[in-house]
Amino acid sequence: MKVIQLHIDEIRLIKKASMEDRAAQKALYEKYSPKMLSVCRMYIKDIHFAEDVLLKAFFKMFKNLKNFRNEGSFEGWVRRIVVCEAIDFIRSQKRRGFTEEFTDRNTPVSDDIYSTNEEIEEVQQYIDELPNGYRTVLILFAVEGYKHSEIAEMLNISEGSSRSQLSKARQIVKEKWGQTKKKEQWN
């Protein structure tokens, strides 16, 4: 029974926020901003830029809240806005990092390569060090679950480029991970 009540409360909150009720907007922001900041952070290295993108995304979300039709999850709708804003930010940067070359290296990274918080932070650091194009494609594919055709359309690149960027990103992360493990063995 509580699950239904929570869902009804969220629907009311969304409706109030769509009518520019500042308290309702604040409540939605406080509920979703931590998760959405982590989404921004996956795409954007610099926390300050990630926060700016988050604010812009929430502004856009509140502006278009009347368009939300309760078809699917509200969190998913907000997340899509945040991802699009992050991609727009990356596009606006002078250094895009996208190349139109294609290499067919299939070197998958195991999904279970890390297990502790320290290891997760380490892998996040490796991802942060990737060029923007590699990082964006890796996150869109591996985290967000987009297909290469969707990624290509979003980023205005070819599907082959998307595949190549993903392959290279995985290879770099895998190599850095392997180097770290070798160092640990010798210490």
Side-chain angles (χ1 to χ4, degrees), residues 83-100:
V83 167
C84 288
E85 282 303 311
I87 291 170
D88 286 347
F89 172 80
I90 292 168
R91 277 189 195 148
S92 73
Q93 299 302 297
K94 289 180 184 177
R95 288 183 309 140
R96 293 182 187 208
F98 294 106
T99 59
E100 284 295 326

Side-chain angles (χ1 to χ4, degrees), residues 98-106 134 148 157-168:
F98 294 106
T99 59
E100 284 295 326
E101 63 186 71
F102 177 77
T103 57
D104 191 21
R105 282 193 275 166
N106 293 323
Y134 293 3
H148 286 291
I157 60 175
S158 69
E159 277 188 59
S161 223
S162 176
R163 292 177 196 283
S164 174
Q165 298 277 334
L166 176 63
S167 175
K168 289 175 184 178

Side-chain angles (χ1 to χ4, degrees), residues 87-136:
I87 291 170
D88 286 347
F89 172 80
I90 292 168
R91 277 189 195 148
S92 73
Q93 299 302 297
K94 289 180 184 177
R95 288 183 309 140
R96 293 182 187 208
F98 294 106
T99 59
E100 284 295 326
E101 63 186 71
F102 177 77
T103 57
D104 191 21
R105 282 193 275 166
N106 293 323
T107 53
V109 174
S110 172
D111 291 339
D112 57 356
I113 62 170
Y114 47 83
S115 59
T116 66
N117 283 340
E118 294 83 25
E119 290 174 330
I120 291 170
E121 288 176 22
E122 205 171 319
V123 171
Q124 180 63 52
Q125 178 66 34
Y126 301 151
I127 292 170
D128 287 347
E129 293 170 1
L130 290 170
N132 284 341
Y134 293 3
R135 184 177 59 255
T136 302

Side-chain angles (χ1 to χ4, degrees), residues 25-41:
Q25 289 177 339
K26 182 180 179 187
L28 286 175
Y29 179 81
E30 288 174 350
K31 180 176 181 178
Y32 292 105
S33 64
K35 235 182 225 183
M36 296 304 128
L37 180 59
S38 69
V39 171
C40 285
R41 183 64 187 78

